[in-house]
């Protein structure tokens, strides 16, 4: 995991916007990182008496080529702080400091880091730098499917710590790892002429009126990615790992994020299927079929059919994008398996319980609508069961065997 991959490309112009290119950008972050990792108890489990995790902003700088700007840095994350000694980060650049720089139109940027130097956390994260480019691919799949998505960029970041070298956890170190840059929701909202709800506003949200179709389409996305660490609802109550942008006309749009626990990234399937549900199938296939079946039973057939049509139209594009993406080869194979098993699962729904789709993708058998609300296990809860799958365990998924 510590060895660099062999396909890095730098930004061609130092003054080009940081998100203006899809190439891998060489980056440098400098600041008292270790001191603030310690304040956040990064890498320490909550235990019986969870520590008070402090995440204040602190002075630092970021550099691209010969361009260096002063920024305010801070540690971010929730459950990831329990298993990542090198936590996620965020920085913001003042208007004066960002003018004429690659950050002119991106004043706040999140950094998804490598988390650790190997192994897996007790919650399920892949704790090395491969996870960062895999998560980039998850966001790119979301954008390709037409959802509101933050701009992302793969990076190779040299982290230079300026904390005291005589501290209990000595500072002064340097480490270079793969990382992922993401637009902060506030930047996304400003770019689109809206307002990103803050934590307090999200907690108070009760009337988002997202609509059954959009929520169903997003549930399909989470099934495709093997994501369980989220909450969705049509009215916006109780959202988790879902940002919301409000527009001047009073409409709201949800924007999923934080995919570092999904099996698209980790290769670990969190199984929620009954033990007697298609036991002959590989775990990933069973899980997708089961989740799609649950959605099918919970929404009206025209809604399910419309979501199905949206995804069927993007299968080839998804496959081609993954095949050409900058990602480790095991991650690529894993992503392609997710796509194949998802579409096989969609095919299986056509045969289940009398469902028949016509040439236009419309279901000919209706089902009653139930209250739509899907909740993951919640941040910080150890999943009950994980299954690791390999390429050999799901051979032949493209032949219509199911997800």
């Amino acid at each position: 995991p510590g060895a660099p991959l062999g396909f890095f490309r730098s930004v061609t112009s130092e003054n080009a916007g940081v998100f203006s290119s899809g190439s891998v950008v060489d980056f440098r972050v400098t600041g008292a990182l270790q001191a603030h990792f310690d304040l956040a108890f990064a890498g320490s489990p909550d235990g019986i008496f969870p520590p008070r995790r402090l995440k204040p902003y602190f002075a630092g700088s970021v550099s691209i080529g010969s361009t260096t700007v002063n920024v305010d840095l801070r540690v971010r994350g929730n459950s990831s702080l329990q298993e990542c000694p090198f936590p996620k980060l965020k920085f913001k650049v003042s208007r004066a400091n960002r003018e004429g720089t690659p950050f002119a139109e991106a004043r706040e940027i999140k950094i998804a880091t490598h988390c650790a130097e190997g192994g897996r956390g007790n919650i399920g994260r892949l704790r090395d730098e491969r996870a960062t480019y895999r998560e980039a691919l998850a966001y790119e799949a979301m954008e390709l499917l037409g959802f509101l998505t933050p701009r992302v960029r793969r990076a190779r970041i040299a982290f230079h710590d300026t904390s005291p070298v005589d501290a209990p956890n000595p500072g002064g170190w340097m480490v270079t790892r793969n990382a992922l840059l993401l637009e902060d929701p506030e930047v996304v909202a400003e770019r689109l002429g809206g307002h990103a709800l803050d934590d307090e506003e999200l907690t108070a949200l009760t009337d988002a009126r997202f609509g059954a179709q959009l929520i169903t389409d997003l549930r399909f996305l989470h099934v495709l990615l093997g994501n369980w660490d989220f909450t969705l609802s049509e009215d916006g109550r109780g959202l988790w790992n879902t940002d919301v942008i409000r527009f001047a006309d009073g409409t709201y749009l949800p924007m999923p994020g934080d995919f570092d626990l999904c099996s698209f990234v980790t290769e670990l399937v969190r199984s929620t299927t009954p033990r007697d549900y298609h036991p002959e199938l590989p775990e990933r296939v069973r899980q997708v079929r089961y989740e799609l079946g649950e959605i099918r039973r919970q929404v009206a057939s025209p809604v399910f059919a419309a979501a199905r049509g949206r995804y069927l139209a993007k299968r080839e594009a998804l496959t081609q994008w993954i095949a050409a993406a900058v990602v480790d080869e095991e991650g690529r194979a894993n992503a392609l398996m997710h796509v194949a098993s998802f579409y096989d699962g969609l095919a299986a729904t056509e045969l289940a319980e009398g469902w028949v789709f016509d040439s236009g993708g419309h279901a000919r058998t209706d089902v009653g609508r139930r209250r739509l609300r899907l909740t993951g296990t919640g941040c910080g809860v150890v999943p009950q069961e994980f299954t690791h799958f390999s390429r050999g365990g799901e051979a032949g998924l493209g032949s219509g065997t199911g997800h």
Side-chain angles (χ1 to χ4, degrees):
L5 302 176
F7 39 60
F8 296 104
R9 304 181 300 280
S10 296
V11 65
T12 56
S13 171
E14 290 185 14
N15 291 324
V18 69
F19 293 110
S20 64
S21 170
S23 64
V24 177
V25 60
D26 293 308
F27 211 74
R28 183 184 177 101
V29 174
T30 302
L33 300 171
Q34 187 63 60
H36 289 83
F37 293 177
D38 293 344
L39 284 175
F41 288 87
S44 299
D46 275 353
I48 299 175
F49 301 104
R52 185 185 177 203
R53 301 181 187 274
L54 302 179
K55 294 177 281 188
Y57 278 101
F58 59 99
S61 67
V62 297
S63 305
I64 298 179
S66 61
T67 299
T68 297
V69 297
N70 293 327
V71 302
D72 292 317
L73 286 157
R74 79 171 180 88
V75 170
R76 66 184 184 91
N78 291 296
S79 69
S80 61
L81 288 174
Q82 298 188 55
E83 52 186 12
C84 293
F86 201 111
K88 303 173 185 179
L89 297 167
K90 176 180 178 178
F91 67 86
K92 59 183 181 180
V93 192
S94 69
R95 184 184 299 275
N97 286 342
R98 68 177 181 269
E99 289 182 0
T101 76
F103 310 103
E105 298 181 357
R107 62 181 178 82
E108 291 192 46
I109 293 177
K110 295 179 177 181
I111 303 176
T113 67
H114 58 286
C115 178
E117 297 301 331
R120 297 188 183 274
N122 61 342
I123 301 173
R125 285 176 177 83
L126 176 63
R127 303 195 309 166
D128 66 58
E129 63 181 4
R130 293 174 298 168
T132 60
Y133 289 6
R134 294 184 186 189
E135 189 172 7
L137 189 55
Y139 280 100
E140 289 164 346
M142 183 168 78
E143 182 180 28
L144 194 153
L145 287 161
F147 296 110
L148 177 63
T149 309
R151 291 183 293 180
V152 301
R153 188 166 184 185
R154 293 165 180 80
R156 183 73 174 170
I157 299 184
F159 296 97
H160 180 197
D161 177 52
T162 59
S163 304
V165 296
D166 57 352
N169 287 321
W173 43 260
M174 286 191 65
V175 63
T176 301
R177 295 290 182 269
N178 292 347
L180 169 62
L181 306 179
L182 308 96
E183 280 185 309
D184 187 84
E186 291 187 13
V187 177
V188 178
E190 290 173 2
R191 180 161 50 86
L192 299 176
H195 165 72
L197 302 191
D198 59 27
D199 289 344
E200 185 175 332
E201 291 170 316
L202 282 171
T203 300
L205 186 61
T206 60
D207 60 347
R209 302 183 301 279
F210 294 137
Q213 189 62 68
L214 178 54
I215 293 301
T216 300
D217 291 359
L218 287 173
R219 290 181 70 182
F220 272 45
L221 173 69
H222 289 296
V223 174
L224 170 65
L225 298 178
N227 190 34
W228 55 268
D229 188 29
F230 73 98
T231 305
L232 283 175
S233 64
E234 286 187 35
D235 59 13
R237 297 175 190 265
L239 298 178
W240 180 257
N241 280 337
T242 305
D243 288 299
V244 175
I245 294 179
R246 182 179 63 228
F247 295 91
D249 62 359
T251 60
Y252 295 86
L253 276 180
M255 185 172 67
D258 284 332
F259 299 122
D260 53 337
L261 279 171
C262 71
S263 58
F264 193 89
V265 172
T266 66
E267 301 180 58
L268 296 175
V269 177
R270 181 184 178 275
S271 178
T272 60
T273 59
R275 292 188 180 275
D276 59 351
Y277 182 85
H278 290 291
E280 76 283 1
L281 296 176
E283 197 60 53
R284 176 68 190 153
V285 178
R286 295 176 67 236
Q287 187 63 32
V288 171
R289 281 199 185 185
Y290 179 73
E291 290 185 19
L292 288 175
E294 289 297 293
I295 297 173
R296 186 187 67 238
R297 285 188 286 275
Q298 293 169 352
V299 304
S301 59
V303 174
F304 188 91
R308 177 182 179 274
R310 177 180 195 157
Y311 281 78
L312 286 177
K314 295 294 186 178
R315 179 172 187 170
E316 183 177 355
L318 277 172
T319 302
Q320 291 178 352
W321 185 271
I322 293 169
V326 178
V327 69
D328 66 286
E329 290 306 317
E330 288 184 1
R332 190 189 320 281
N334 177 55
L336 289 171
M337 276 195 295
H338 275 70
V339 170
S341 55
F342 173 80
Y343 283 101
D344 287 344
L346 278 184
T349 64
E350 296 185 43
L351 305 176
E353 298 181 10
W355 279 70
V356 178
F357 288 84
D358 62 25
S359 59
H362 300 101
R364 291 166 50 190
T365 300
D366 201 0
V367 296
R369 184 194 301 269
R370 299 180 183 176
R371 181 173 183 266
L372 176 60
R373 187 175 184 86
L374 181 66
T375 306
T377 60
C379 188
V381 177
V382 179
Q384 296 175 350
E385 182 177 356
F386 282 101
T387 301
H388 185 275
F389 62 92
S390 63
R391 268 176 263 187
E394 289 190 13
L397 286 179
S399 62
T401 58
H403 173 103

